[in-house]
Structure formats: C-alpha cells, structure tokens
Amino acid sequence: MKATICIVAACLAASLAAAQDTGQNLASEGDWVLKKTDRPSGGGTACILAPKSLSRIQIVGDRLEVTGLPRNSLFNYQYRIDDEPVSNIMFPTAQMQEAGAISLHGDVLERILNGRRFSIRLLDKWHEAVTEDISLAGLRSLRGKSATICE
C-alpha cells in the first residue's frame, strides 16, 4: 500500500511539471501570464493563460483546464471560488478521464474570472487528494487583452 502511494505521488509530481507549458511569454498581469505555445493535443499553436506560479491550471480559449493528471485515474473533484461554499462533488466525464484533465467552462468560468481566488481539490481512484489553489489577480484583464495580442 505504501509503495502504491509513493508511485501515485511521484506520478502526480511528474505530471505537474509536464502540465506547466513552456512557451513564449506575450504579456503578463498580476499573477498571470499569456503564453504562445505548441499544444500537442491541438496540433498547432495556441495562446494560453497560466498562473506565474507552478500550477496545473490554465485557461485555454473558453475553458479552464486542470491538466497533467494521470489518465483514467480521476475519481471526483470539487472547486471553490473566493469564500463561496465548496461546489458539490463532481465526477469527470469519460472524455476528461481519457485526457487526464478537468475542464470548466460557461457560467463556472465566468464566476472564476470575476473571482479573486480559485481552488480545486481532485481525488484519484486511490483516494489520494491533490489541491490547487491560485490567485486570480490580473486574469480577467489579461484575458480581455488576449484576443488582440494572440492574433
């Protein structure tokens, strides 16, 4: 059991480093940076918004993604924006499982963009929890500028 936990922890740590895309910095504001990067899943070049600190969280187009997670290993997740109550427990779709990424969009993304802080807690099938907690300072403004900068 202890060996399994160590293997899972090592896998998640390696995935965090892989999730932090490297690329050309185009702009930055507050705690966020706008990068132009090659995205293997998209097959081309894309602009992403990412926290300046090491994180699995990024904004790609019209969605927030938590990337770099082991494929087919997610059990559930919950998120929190600012001091709001924690969301209900959510279960990743088959598509999220296959990609090893959680994706949030629509009204949830708008609430995140209007927030000051975002955290998400992921539970894997071995019941190991990973929490990402980031500042949203500068994100909304930088996202507004990204359309013209990324042309």
Side-chain angles (χ1 to χ4, degrees):
M1 175 75 169
K2 191 172 185 178
T4 302
I5 291 171
C6 290
I7 292 169
V8 170
C11 185
L12 289 173
S15 297
L16 176 57
Q20 189 75 21
D21 275 335
T22 58
Q24 177 187 3
N25 287 354
L26 301 176
S28 101
E29 192 160 330
D31 295 323
W32 287 77
V33 64
L34 176 65
K35 295 181 178 187
K36 190 169 200 171
T37 182
D38 290 331
R39 294 198 31 94
S41 61
T45 302
C47 283
I48 64 165
L49 292 158
K52 289 179 180 176
S53 60
L54 189 61
S55 177
R56 291 179 176 84
I57 296 172
Q58 59 188 19
I59 306 286
V60 180
D62 64 347
R63 67 191 180 281
L64 178 141
E65 292 181 348
V66 183
T67 63
L69 304 167
R71 291 176 47 194
N72 299 312
S73 68
L74 302 172
F75 184 63
N76 65 39
Y77 63 96
Q78 291 178 285
Y79 63 86
R80 184 176 186 173
I81 302 165
D82 296 332
D83 294 328
E84 294 178 10
V86 176
S87 71
N88 292 330
I89 292 175
M90 298 179 188
F91 298 94
T93 64
Q95 184 179 16
M96 288 182 197
Q97 288 281 13
E98 182 62 29
I102 301 295
S103 181
L104 303 172
H105 50 79
D107 292 341
V108 173
L109 179 61
E110 286 305 313
R111 288 181 34 231
I112 293 167
L113 292 172
N114 288 318
R116 296 175 318 279
R117 188 139 210 97
F118 175 75
S119 64
I120 187 165
R121 181 180 175 274
L122 308 159
L123 188 65
D124 66 23
K125 65 183 180 181
W126 301 281
H127 299 287
E128 294 294 320
V130 173
T131 302
E132 291 275 338
D133 184 66
I134 58 169
S135 165
L136 300 173
L139 174 59
R140 185 171 184 82
S141 176
L142 193 56
R143 186 166 186 255
K145 297 174 186 175
S146 67
T148 55
I149 295 173
C150 287
E151 290 179 342

